[in-house]
Amino acid sequence: MQQLRSLKKKLFGGNSSEGQQKPITIQMVPENIVLVAHGSTVKIKANITCHTQGQVNFSWMKVENNIPITLPTNTFKYSGSCSSLPSAELVVNNICHGDQGVYQIEVSFGTLKVVGPPVVLEIFGDPVDSIDEEETN
């Protein structure tokens, strides 16, 4: 039990005046809410500072109905890096209204998991319909 308390104190910090720092910190770019046009592409970047030694892994998530869903980052829709410090990127292609929502990165180091601050995508605009040849004549 003492080890668990010690680990929590190390991970989440105690009094900042004690000079302790969290082993992993995450800054999102862009921050907060991002307005994105329908059909465009958006890049979300996580700047990660890791004060630990060892293998660090990332996974990108979209929160749907308060449940984080891990995104595949090797598809046309979602691509990005998941394994290199000091930053990781998620690219969302061909934005549609279904992409609206909260995106986060989860950084794991052993059994420690740290979730980055949320980035909210708000989508505006409508899909462009193709023009029929009859309409142009």
Side-chain angles (χ1 to χ4, degrees):
M1 187 61 126
Q2 179 62 30
Q3 287 178 329
L4 181 59
R5 278 187 234 160
S6 176
L7 180 61
K8 282 184 180 179
K9 188 174 182 181
K10 179 180 177 185
L11 298 178
F12 302 109
N15 187 335
S16 59
S17 64
E18 295 174 10
Q20 295 178 346
Q21 56 185 188
K22 297 178 183 178
I24 297 172
T25 57
I26 304 168
Q27 177 191 19
M28 303 301 289
V29 178
E31 297 178 324
N32 303 321
I33 299 173
V34 181
L35 297 176
V36 184
H38 190 281
S40 65
T41 297
V42 68
K43 183 191 305 186
I44 301 170
K45 182 176 178 182
N47 293 319
I48 302 163
T49 304
C50 188
H51 302 284
T52 60
Q53 299 294 321
Q55 178 65 35
V56 176
N57 295 304
F58 319 137
S59 59
W60 287 98
M61 301 176 296
K62 181 179 180 198
V63 179
E64 296 180 0
N65 299 320
N66 293 322
I67 299 171
I69 308 296
T70 300
L71 299 172
T73 56
N74 59 348
T75 65
F76 174 75
K77 182 67 176 177
Y78 303 106
S79 62
S81 59
C82 286
S83 62
S84 61
L85 289 175
S87 64
E89 295 178 346
L90 173 67
V91 177
V92 184
N93 292 298
N94 197 22
I95 293 286
C96 65
H97 288 284
D99 296 318
Q100 185 161 295
V102 176
Y103 291 80
Q104 292 179 290
I105 189 169
E106 181 180 77
V107 179
S108 59
F109 172 76
T111 58
L112 167 67
K113 292 185 178 187
V114 177
V115 176
V119 173
V120 178
L121 297 186
E122 290 191 2
I123 314 307
F124 66 92
D126 293 316
V128 177
D129 292 331
S130 61
I131 300 173
D132 292 336
E133 284 185 37
E134 292 178 13
E135 290 180 18
T136 60
N137 293 331

